[in-house]
Each structure stands twice: as structure tokens, then as C-alpha cells.
Amino acid sequence: LATLAPKPGEIYADCTAGLGGHAAAIAQELAPGGTVMLNDADASNLERAEARVRSTLASDAGVTIRTLHGNFADLPRRLTELGLAADLVLADLGFSSNQVADAARGFSFSRDGPLDMRLNQSARLSAADLVAGASEGELASMLREYGEEPAATRIAKKVVRARAQSPITTTGRLAEIVREVVGPMRGGIDPATRTFQALRIAVNDELGSLEAFLAGLREGAARAARGGAGSSWLRPGARVAVISFHSLEDRPIKRAFGELVKEEVAVDLTTEVVRPEKEEVDSNPRARSAKLRAIRIADKGRG
Ligand SMILES: C[S@@+](CC[C@H](N)C(=O)[O-])C[C@H]1O[C@@H](n2cnc3c(N)ncnc32)[C@H](O)[C@@H]1O
């Protein structure tokens, strides 16, 4: 809230509405007269976020709530088509706690369920399809690249041998296969963690989506800084923040933001990356790896 500094009447685009926690807090600052644009790949989360934002706003707040179901990679284009220019943009990457907790969604290696992992349930490819169809080499490089898994080659070999006996269709069976290769839990981290992260990133093309969003940001920021109001999906002076959870995400964000700052299209709002304080991590351990970076798009009028 301090970094994005929402003001009454502004337009807020939430790329990853999730359970609506951030959106509800920001929406209250937009009254009277602001707009909240909620976007999520997960249709059920989008519904929850909308209900949460609605329920936290006073009846006379006058804040407009709109929803978009889809990948945030398409958000710049969709906002442009709607003729909307955002003053505030937030992307809080990855998955939400309810998605992991629901065994039927297939994100969890500790709860047995179908090997699914699709954030968008209308997407075609599930994790089971990927595990069934990828070659041993493709599996190994996916685990290495997206999971930074040192045992990638051995896990890929074992997966290929196991799937020849019977298809790997559950999270429990995949986790067992990985544990057989990597060995027992170490330092409280399940050995299947890296494999599951890699598969989730691949199934949802998470890095490709982030790159596409950052390309849209680059273009929108340059237009806004150059052309002023009406020329971009971003308003001159817009604040844009991204929260990431691992270095594969943080690196491209740092690079893209750094380039915009260097080109004087934006200024840095977080010269040092913002990390959660100890109290936050104690009360919410999932926040431990979070990193927040933010920029403000240049505004010719204000500099
Ligand atoms: C960490 S949660 C967001 C939590 C939210 N900020 C809140 O306060 O409740 C991430 C959300 O982003 C969504 N998501 C992840 N990647 C996405 C993408 N490429 N496009 C759209 N939504 C995405 C997930 O479905 C999930 O609901």
C-alpha cells in the first residue's frame, strides 16, 4: 500500500486477483469513484476475489469492479481494447494457498490427487499429460531449468521407467518416484518440492507469461511516458509492482524494471528489493521467499 500509494478515483489492475486480499485493501483507498480490474487465470479464484472486494467496500464507495478471466500476459491488450489506462498495477505471482490445499487441483505433493496443476482449468495440458508425453531429455531439462533440481537426470530416467509400467496420474505416485531417487526429507524440505515447482511452471508456461507481460509493460510504459494520457494501457505516473517467489521470476523482473529506469521511462520505487520482515514470515511462512519490486512510469507533466 505504501509503495503503490492508491488514491481516490484511480484505476487499479490486479493481474493475479487470487483470493482478493490485496485488491480488497487497495479498493478501499480508491473510493470514491475508482475502478478495480480483477484478473486471474483461475475462474473460481476470480469469483472469490470479486466477492471479497465487494464485501469490503462500503455501499456508497462508488468503486467499479470489473473482472477478466485469463492470463495476465493478455492484460495489456485487453485493457487497451477496453480503453482503460491503469494508475496502479500489481502482479503477485504463483499460486494461492487454497489452490495448493485442494488435493483435486494436483499442486500438492503431500496430499494425493490427480496430477493436474493447471491454474486455468480450461487449459488443455495437465501435468499428467506433460509427464506422459515428454521425452527423457525434455523432462530432465525441465527439472533442471525450472526446478534447479540437481538430480534432474536421475529423476527423469526413473519417471520414464515408471511410466512404461503404468501411467503416472497422481501427485502421490510422482512424489514417491522422486523420493525414491532423491532420498528422505532434508532440512524440512520435501524432496519432491523442486520437481513439483518445475512441472507447475511448465504446465502453466509461467515464465513465458511473465516475459509476455513484461514486454507489454515495456511497450505500455514507453507509450505512456512519451505520448501522455490516452496512448497506453498505463497512465503516465502509473505505479507497477510485482511480487515474485523464486529467482527464475525475479531475474527477468529486475532486468525489465532496470532497463525502464535506465531509459528514464520509469523511476525505481524500491531501490532495494522489499522482503518480508521476521514477524510476517513467522505468521505466514509462505511469505519467506517473497520479493517486491516496483517502479513508477515517468510523467512528462510531473517529471
Ligand atoms: C499468490 S496468488 C495471488 C493472491 C492475491 N494477491 C491475494 O491477495 O489474495 C496468485 C494468483 O495468480 C494466479 N495466476 C498465476 N499465474 C497467472 C497468470 N499467468 N495469469 C493470470 N493469473 C495467474 C493464480 O491463479 C492465483 O490465483
mmCIF file with all atom_site columns, all heavy atoms in Angstrom, residues 97-116:
data_model
loop_
_atom_site.group_PDB
_atom_site.id
_atom_site.type_symbol
_atom_site.label_atom_id
_atom_site.label_alt_id
_atom_site.label_comp_id
_atom_site.label_asym_id
_atom_site.label_entity_id
_atom_site.label_seq_id
_atom_site.pdbx_PDB_ins_code
_atom_site.Cartn_x
_atom_site.Cartn_y
_atom_site.Cartn_z
_atom_site.occupancy
_atom_site.B_iso_or_equiv
_atom_site.pdbx_formal_charge
_atom_site.auth_seq_id
_atom_site.auth_comp_id
_atom_site.auth_asym_id
_atom_site.auth_atom_id
_atom_site.pdbx_PDB_model_num
ATOM 1   N N   . SER A 1 97  ? -2.902 -20.133 -1.656  1.00 0.00 ? 97  SER A N   1
ATOM 2   C CA  . SER A 1 97  ? -2.916 -21.193 -0.642  1.00 0.00 ? 97  SER A CA  1
ATOM 3   C C   . SER A 1 97  ? -4.073 -22.173 -0.860  1.00 0.00 ? 97  SER A C   1
ATOM 4   O O   . SER A 1 97  ? -3.920 -23.378 -0.667  1.00 0.00 ? 97  SER A O   1
ATOM 5   C CB  . SER A 1 97  ? -2.978 -20.575 0.748   1.00 0.00 ? 97  SER A CB  1
ATOM 6   O OG  . SER A 1 97  ? -3.915 -19.544 0.760   1.00 0.00 ? 97  SER A OG  1
ATOM 7   N N   . ASN A 1 98  ? -5.232 -21.664 -1.299  1.00 0.00 ? 98  ASN A N   1
ATOM 8   C CA  . ASN A 1 98  ? -6.375 -22.577 -1.493  1.00 0.00 ? 98  ASN A CA  1
ATOM 9   C C   . ASN A 1 98  ? -6.144 -23.532 -2.661  1.00 0.00 ? 98  ASN A C   1
ATOM 10  O O   . ASN A 1 98  ? -6.625 -24.656 -2.659  1.00 0.00 ? 98  ASN A O   1
ATOM 11  C CB  . ASN A 1 98  ? -7.670 -21.788 -1.694  1.00 0.00 ? 98  ASN A CB  1
ATOM 12  C CG  . ASN A 1 98  ? -7.635 -20.914 -2.923  1.00 0.00 ? 98  ASN A CG  1
ATOM 13  O OD1 . ASN A 1 98  ? -6.666 -20.207 -3.156  1.00 0.00 ? 98  ASN A OD1 1
ATOM 14  N ND2 . ASN A 1 98  ? -8.672 -20.972 -3.740  1.00 0.00 ? 98  ASN A ND2 1
ATOM 15  N N   . GLN A 1 99  ? -5.379 -23.072 -3.669  1.00 0.00 ? 99  GLN A N   1
ATOM 16  C CA  . GLN A 1 99  ? -5.091 -23.961 -4.809  1.00 0.00 ? 99  GLN A CA  1
ATOM 17  C C   . GLN A 1 99  ? -4.210 -25.132 -4.347  1.00 0.00 ? 99  GLN A C   1
ATOM 18  O O   . GLN A 1 99  ? -4.431 -26.268 -4.748  1.00 0.00 ? 99  GLN A O   1
ATOM 19  C CB  . GLN A 1 99  ? -4.392 -23.182 -5.936  1.00 0.00 ? 99  GLN A CB  1
ATOM 20  C CG  . GLN A 1 99  ? -5.321 -22.194 -6.637  1.00 0.00 ? 99  GLN A CG  1
ATOM 21  C CD  . GLN A 1 99  ? -4.570 -21.230 -7.560  1.00 0.00 ? 99  GLN A CD  1
ATOM 22  O OE1 . GLN A 1 99  ? -3.407 -20.912 -7.340  1.00 0.00 ? 99  GLN A OE1 1
ATOM 23  N NE2 . GLN A 1 99  ? -5.262 -20.741 -8.576  1.00 0.00 ? 99  GLN A NE2 1
ATOM 24  N N   . VAL A 1 100 ? -3.229 -24.860 -3.503  1.00 0.00 ? 100 VAL A N   1
ATOM 25  C CA  . VAL A 1 100 ? -2.351 -25.928 -3.005  1.00 0.00 ? 100 VAL A CA  1
ATOM 26  C C   . VAL A 1 100 ? -3.121 -26.839 -2.048  1.00 0.00 ? 100 VAL A C   1
ATOM 27  O O   . VAL A 1 100 ? -2.926 -28.062 -2.047  1.00 0.00 ? 100 VAL A O   1
ATOM 28  C CB  . VAL A 1 100 ? -1.137 -25.364 -2.226  1.00 0.00 ? 100 VAL A CB  1
ATOM 29  C CG1 . VAL A 1 100 ? -0.095 -26.445 -1.985  1.00 0.00 ? 100 VAL A CG1 1
ATOM 30  C CG2 . VAL A 1 100 ? -0.518 -24.209 -2.950  1.00 0.00 ? 100 VAL A CG2 1
ATOM 31  N N   . ALA A 1 101 ? -3.972 -26.227 -1.229  1.00 0.00 ? 101 ALA A N   1
ATOM 32  C CA  . ALA A 1 101 ? -4.675 -27.007 -0.203  1.00 0.00 ? 101 ALA A CA  1
ATOM 33  C C   . ALA A 1 101 ? -5.684 -27.976 -0.813  1.00 0.00 ? 101 ALA A C   1
ATOM 34  O O   . ALA A 1 101 ? -5.992 -29.001 -0.216  1.00 0.00 ? 101 ALA A O   1
ATOM 35  C CB  . ALA A 1 101 ? -5.382 -26.050 0.759   1.00 0.00 ? 101 ALA A CB  1
ATOM 36  N N   . ASP A 1 102 ? -6.173 -27.678 -2.009  1.00 0.00 ? 102 ASP A N   1
ATOM 37  C CA  . ASP A 1 102 ? -7.197 -28.515 -2.643  1.00 0.00 ? 102 ASP A CA  1
ATOM 38  C C   . ASP A 1 102 ? -6.503 -29.649 -3.410  1.00 0.00 ? 102 ASP A C   1
ATOM 39  O O   . ASP A 1 102 ? -5.985 -29.443 -4.508  1.00 0.00 ? 102 ASP A O   1
ATOM 40  C CB  . ASP A 1 102 ? -8.033 -27.624 -3.590  1.00 0.00 ? 102 ASP A CB  1
ATOM 41  C CG  . ASP A 1 102 ? -9.141 -28.399 -4.270  1.00 0.00 ? 102 ASP A CG  1
ATOM 42  O OD1 . ASP A 1 102 ? -9.225 -29.633 -4.066  1.00 0.00 ? 102 ASP A OD1 1
ATOM 43  O OD2 . ASP A 1 102 ? -9.923 -27.770 -5.004  1.00 0.00 ? 102 ASP A OD2 1
ATOM 44  N N   . ALA A 1 103 ? -6.529 -30.866 -2.827  1.00 0.00 ? 103 ALA A N   1
ATOM 45  C CA  . ALA A 1 103 ? -5.815 -32.008 -3.429  1.00 0.00 ? 103 ALA A CA  1
ATOM 46  C C   . ALA A 1 103 ? -6.258 -32.248 -4.875  1.00 0.00 ? 103 ALA A C   1
ATOM 47  O O   . ALA A 1 103 ? -5.462 -32.681 -5.710  1.00 0.00 ? 103 ALA A O   1
ATOM 48  C CB  . ALA A 1 103 ? -6.038 -33.258 -2.596  1.00 0.00 ? 103 ALA A CB  1
ATOM 49  N N   . ALA A 1 104 ? -7.509 -31.924 -5.166  1.00 0.00 ? 104 ALA A N   1
ATOM 50  C CA  . ALA A 1 104 ? -8.052 -32.191 -6.508  1.00 0.00 ? 104 ALA A CA  1
ATOM 51  C C   . ALA A 1 104 ? -7.390 -31.333 -7.585  1.00 0.00 ? 104 ALA A C   1
ATOM 52  O O   . ALA A 1 104 ? -7.473 -31.651 -8.773  1.00 0.00 ? 104 ALA A O   1
ATOM 53  C CB  . ALA A 1 104 ? -9.557 -31.945 -6.504  1.00 0.00 ? 104 ALA A CB  1
ATOM 54  N N   . ARG A 1 105 ? -6.704 -30.241 -7.184  1.00 0.00 ? 105 ARG A N   1
ATOM 55  C CA  . ARG A 1 105 ? -6.046 -29.383 -8.172  1.00 0.00 ? 105 ARG A CA  1
ATOM 56  C C   . ARG A 1 105 ? -4.658 -29.922 -8.546  1.00 0.00 ? 105 ARG A C   1
ATOM 57  O O   . ARG A 1 105 ? -4.048 -29.470 -9.517  1.00 0.00 ? 105 ARG A O   1
ATOM 58  C CB  . ARG A 1 105 ? -5.918 -27.944 -7.635  1.00 0.00 ? 105 ARG A CB  1
ATOM 59  C CG  . ARG A 1 105 ? -7.240 -27.246 -7.325  1.00 0.00 ? 105 ARG A CG  1
ATOM 60  C CD  . ARG A 1 105 ? -8.080 -27.029 -8.578  1.00 0.00 ? 105 ARG A CD  1
ATOM 61  N NE  . ARG A 1 105 ? -7.427 -26.198 -9.563  1.00 0.00 ? 105 ARG A NE  1
ATOM 62  C CZ  . ARG A 1 105 ? -7.519 -24.875 -9.620  1.00 0.00 ? 105 ARG A CZ  1
ATOM 63  N NH1 . ARG A 1 105 ? -8.264 -24.238 -8.755  1.00 0.00 ? 105 ARG A NH1 1
ATOM 64  N NH2 . ARG A 1 105 ? -6.890 -24.198 -10.570 1.00 0.00 ? 105 ARG A NH2 1
ATOM 65  N N   . GLY A 1 106 ? -4.135 -30.835 -7.742  1.00 0.00 ? 106 GLY A N   1
ATOM 66  C CA  . GLY A 1 106 ? -2.900 -31.532 -8.118  1.00 0.00 ? 106 GLY A CA  1
ATOM 67  C C   . GLY A 1 106 ? -1.617 -30.736 -7.948  1.00 0.00 ? 106 GLY A C   1
ATOM 68  O O   . GLY A 1 106 ? -0.609 -31.040 -8.585  1.00 0.00 ? 106 GLY A O   1
ATOM 69  N N   . PHE A 1 107 ? -1.622 -29.718 -7.057  1.00 0.00 ? 107 PHE A N   1
ATOM 70  C CA  . PHE A 1 107 ? -0.385 -28.944 -6.826  1.00 0.00 ? 107 PHE A CA  1
ATOM 71  C C   . PHE A 1 107 ? 0.428  -29.513 -5.666  1.00 0.00 ? 107 PHE A C   1
ATOM 72  O O   . PHE A 1 107 ? 1.574  -29.134 -5.470  1.00 0.00 ? 107 PHE A O   1
ATOM 73  C CB  . PHE A 1 107 ? -0.718 -27.487 -6.478  1.00 0.00 ? 107 PHE A CB  1
ATOM 74  C CG  . PHE A 1 107 ? -1.284 -26.686 -7.616  1.00 0.00 ? 107 PHE A CG  1
ATOM 75  C CD1 . PHE A 1 107 ? -2.629 -26.365 -7.656  1.00 0.00 ? 107 PHE A CD1 1
ATOM 76  C CD2 . PHE A 1 107 ? -0.461 -26.246 -8.645  1.00 0.00 ? 107 PHE A CD2 1
ATOM 77  C CE1 . PHE A 1 107 ? -3.157 -25.621 -8.701  1.00 0.00 ? 107 PHE A CE1 1
ATOM 78  C CE2 . PHE A 1 107 ? -0.976 -25.504 -9.692  1.00 0.00 ? 107 PHE A CE2 1
ATOM 79  C CZ  . PHE A 1 107 ? -2.333 -25.189 -9.723  1.00 0.00 ? 107 PHE A CZ  1
ATOM 80  N N   . SER A 1 108 ? -0.216 -30.364 -4.859  1.00 0.00 ? 108 SER A N   1
ATOM 81  C CA  . SER A 1 108 ? 0.388  -30.734 -3.582  1.00 0.00 ? 108 SER A CA  1
ATOM 82  C C   . SER A 1 108 ? 1.066  -32.099 -3.615  1.00 0.00 ? 108 SER A C   1
ATOM 83  O O   . SER A 1 108 ? 0.475  -33.071 -4.072  1.00 0.00 ? 108 SER A O   1
ATOM 84  C CB  . SER A 1 108 ? -0.713 -30.737 -2.507  1.00 0.00 ? 108 SER A CB  1
ATOM 85  O OG  . SER A 1 108 ? -0.218 -31.274 -1.324  1.00 0.00 ? 108 SER A OG  1
ATOM 86  N N   . PHE A 1 109 ? 2.315  -32.145 -3.125  1.00 0.00 ? 109 PHE A N   1
ATOM 87  C CA  . PHE A 1 109 ? 2.985  -33.447 -3.056  1.00 0.00 ? 109 PHE A CA  1
ATOM 88  C C   . PHE A 1 109 ? 2.699  -34.130 -1.729  1.00 0.00 ? 109 PHE A C   1
ATOM 89  O O   . PHE A 1 109 ? 3.065  -35.263 -1.512  1.00 0.00 ? 109 PHE A O   1
ATOM 90  C CB  . PHE A 1 109 ? 4.494  -33.335 -3.279  1.00 0.00 ? 109 PHE A CB  1
ATOM 91  C CG  . PHE A 1 109 ? 5.128  -32.174 -2.566  1.00 0.00 ? 109 PHE A CG  1
ATOM 92  C CD1 . PHE A 1 109 ? 5.332  -32.221 -1.205  1.00 0.00 ? 109 PHE A CD1 1
ATOM 93  C CD2 . PHE A 1 109 ? 5.509  -31.050 -3.274  1.00 0.00 ? 109 PHE A CD2 1
ATOM 94  C CE1 . PHE A 1 109 ? 5.915  -31.145 -0.543  1.00 0.00 ? 109 PHE A CE1 1
ATOM 95  C CE2 . PHE A 1 109 ? 6.092  -29.974 -2.624  1.00 0.00 ? 109 PHE A CE2 1
ATOM 96  C CZ  . PHE A 1 109 ? 6.296  -30.015 -1.261  1.00 0.00 ? 109 PHE A CZ  1
ATOM 97  N N   . SER A 1 110 ? 2.031  -33.412 -0.807  1.00 0.00 ? 110 SER A N   1
ATOM 98  C CA  . SER A 1 110 ? 1.728  -34.054 0.473   1.00 0.00 ? 110 SER A CA  1
ATOM 99  C C   . SER A 1 110 ? 0.287  -34.559 0.542   1.00 0.00 ? 110 SER A C   1
ATOM 100 O O   . SER A 1 110 ? -0.084 -35.275 1.456   1.00 0.00 ? 110 SER A O   1
ATOM 101 C CB  . SER A 1 110 ? 2.033  -33.105 1.628   1.00 0.00 ? 110 SER A CB  1
ATOM 102 O OG  . SER A 1 110 ? 1.476  -31.850 1.383   1.00 0.00 ? 110 SER A OG  1
ATOM 103 N N   . ARG A 1 111 ? -0.557 -34.159 -0.420  1.00 0.00 ? 111 ARG A N   1
ATOM 104 C CA  . ARG A 1 111 ? -1.943 -34.675 -0.457  1.00 0.00 ? 111 ARG A CA  1
ATOM 105 C C   . ARG A 1 111 ? -2.145 -35.342 -1.808  1.00 0.00 ? 111 ARG A C   1
ATOM 106 O O   . ARG A 1 111 ? -1.927 -34.710 -2.846  1.00 0.00 ? 111 ARG A O   1
ATOM 107 C CB  . ARG A 1 111 ? -2.951 -33.522 -0.335  1.00 0.00 ? 111 ARG A CB  1
ATOM 108 C CG  . ARG A 1 111 ? -2.975 -32.883 1.016   1.00 0.00 ? 111 ARG A CG  1
ATOM 109 C CD  . ARG A 1 111 ? -4.036 -31.788 1.051   1.00 0.00 ? 111 ARG A CD  1
ATOM 110 N NE  . ARG A 1 111 ? -3.881 -31.002 2.251   1.00 0.00 ? 111 ARG A NE  1
ATOM 111 C CZ  . ARG A 1 111 ? -3.025 -29.978 2.362   1.00 0.00 ? 111 ARG A CZ  1
ATOM 112 N NH1 . ARG A 1 111 ? -2.309 -29.600 1.342   1.00 0.00 ? 111 ARG A NH1 1
ATOM 113 N NH2 . ARG A 1 111 ? -2.924 -29.323 3.498   1.00 0.00 ? 111 ARG A NH2 1
ATOM 114 N N   . ASP A 1 112 ? -2.553 -36.581 -1.789  1.00 0.00 ? 112 ASP A N   1
ATOM 115 C CA  . ASP A 1 112 ? -2.694 -37.303 -3.056  1.00 0.00 ? 112 ASP A CA  1
ATOM 116 C C   . ASP A 1 112 ? -3.898 -36.787 -3.846  1.00 0.00 ? 112 ASP A C   1
ATOM 117 O O   . ASP A 1 112 ? -4.958 -36.512 -3.287  1.00 0.00 ? 112 ASP A O   1
ATOM 118 C CB  . ASP A 1 112 ? -2.847 -38.808 -2.771  1.00 0.00 ? 112 ASP A CB  1
ATOM 119 C CG  . ASP A 1 112 ? -2.606 -39.624 -4.031  1.00 0.00 ? 112 ASP A CG  1
ATOM 120 O OD1 . ASP A 1 112 ? -1.963 -39.095 -4.961  1.00 0.00 ? 112 ASP A OD1 1
ATOM 121 O OD2 . ASP A 1 112 ? -3.058 -40.780 -4.084  1.00 0.00 ? 112 ASP A OD2 1
ATOM 122 N N   . GLY A 1 113 ? -3.683 -36.620 -5.130  1.00 0.00 ? 113 GLY A N   1
ATOM 123 C CA  . GLY A 1 113 ? -4.764 -36.155 -6.001  1.00 0.00 ? 113 GLY A CA  1
ATOM 124 C C   . GLY A 1 113 ? -4.357 -36.348 -7.450  1.00 0.00 ? 113 GLY A C   1
ATOM 125 O O   . GLY A 1 113 ? -3.239 -36.809 -7.727  1.00 0.00 ? 113 GLY A O   1
ATOM 126 N N   . PRO A 1 114 ? -5.238 -36.002 -8.378  1.00 0.00 ? 114 PRO A N   1
ATOM 127 C CA  . PRO A 1 114 ? -4.878 -36.128 -9.796  1.00 0.00 ? 114 PRO A CA  1
ATOM 128 C C   . PRO A 1 114 ? -3.703 -35.208 -10.120 1.00 0.00 ? 114 PRO A C   1
ATOM 129 O O   . PRO A 1 114 ? -3.610 -34.104 -9.576  1.00 0.00 ? 114 PRO A O   1
ATOM 130 C CB  . PRO A 1 114 ? -6.146 -35.671 -10.527 1.00 0.00 ? 114 PRO A CB  1
ATOM 131 C CG  . PRO A 1 114 ? -6.893 -34.839 -9.525  1.00 0.00 ? 114 PRO A CG  1
ATOM 132 C CD  . PRO A 1 114 ? -6.565 -35.397 -8.179  1.00 0.00 ? 114 PRO A CD  1
ATOM 133 N N   . LEU A 1 115 ? -2.823 -35.653 -11.015 1.00 0.00 ? 115 LEU A N   1
ATOM 134 C CA  . LEU A 1 115 ? -1.637 -34.860 -11.372 1.00 0.00 ? 115 LEU A CA  1
ATOM 135 C C   . LEU A 1 115 ? -2.069 -33.806 -12.395 1.00 0.00 ? 115 LEU A C   1
ATOM 136 O O   . LEU A 1 115 ? -1.923 -33.996 -13.598 1.00 0.00 ? 115 LEU A O   1
ATOM 137 C CB  . LEU A 1 115 ? -0.564 -35.807 -11.933 1.00 0.00 ? 115 LEU A CB  1
ATOM 138 C CG  . LEU A 1 115 ? 0.826  -35.226 -12.138 1.00 0.00 ? 115 LEU A CG  1
ATOM 139 C CD1 . LEU A 1 115 ? 1.398  -34.658 -10.869 1.00 0.00 ? 115 LEU A CD1 1
ATOM 140 C CD2 . LEU A 1 115 ? 1.753  -36.306 -12.677 1.00 0.00 ? 115 LEU A CD2 1
ATOM 141 N N   . ASP A 1 116 ? -2.615 -32.694 -11.883 1.00 0.00 ? 116 ASP A N   1
ATOM 142 C CA  . ASP A 1 116 ? -3.235 -31.713 -12.773 1.00 0.00 ? 116 ASP A CA  1
ATOM 143 C C   . ASP A 1 116 ? -2.370 -30.451 -12.890 1.00 0.00 ? 116 ASP A C   1
ATOM 144 O O   . ASP A 1 116 ? -1.695 -30.233 -13.891 1.00 0.00 ? 116 ASP A O   1
ATOM 145 C CB  . ASP A 1 116 ? -4.650 -31.395 -12.241 1.00 0.00 ? 116 ASP A CB  1
ATOM 146 C CG  . ASP A 1 116 ? -5.446 -30.523 -13.190 1.00 0.00 ? 116 ASP A CG  1
ATOM 147 O OD1 . ASP A 1 116 ? -4.836 -29.759 -13.960 1.00 0.00 ? 116 ASP A OD1 1
ATOM 148 O OD2 . ASP A 1 116 ? -6.684 -30.568 -13.171 1.00 0.00 ? 116 ASP A OD2 1
#
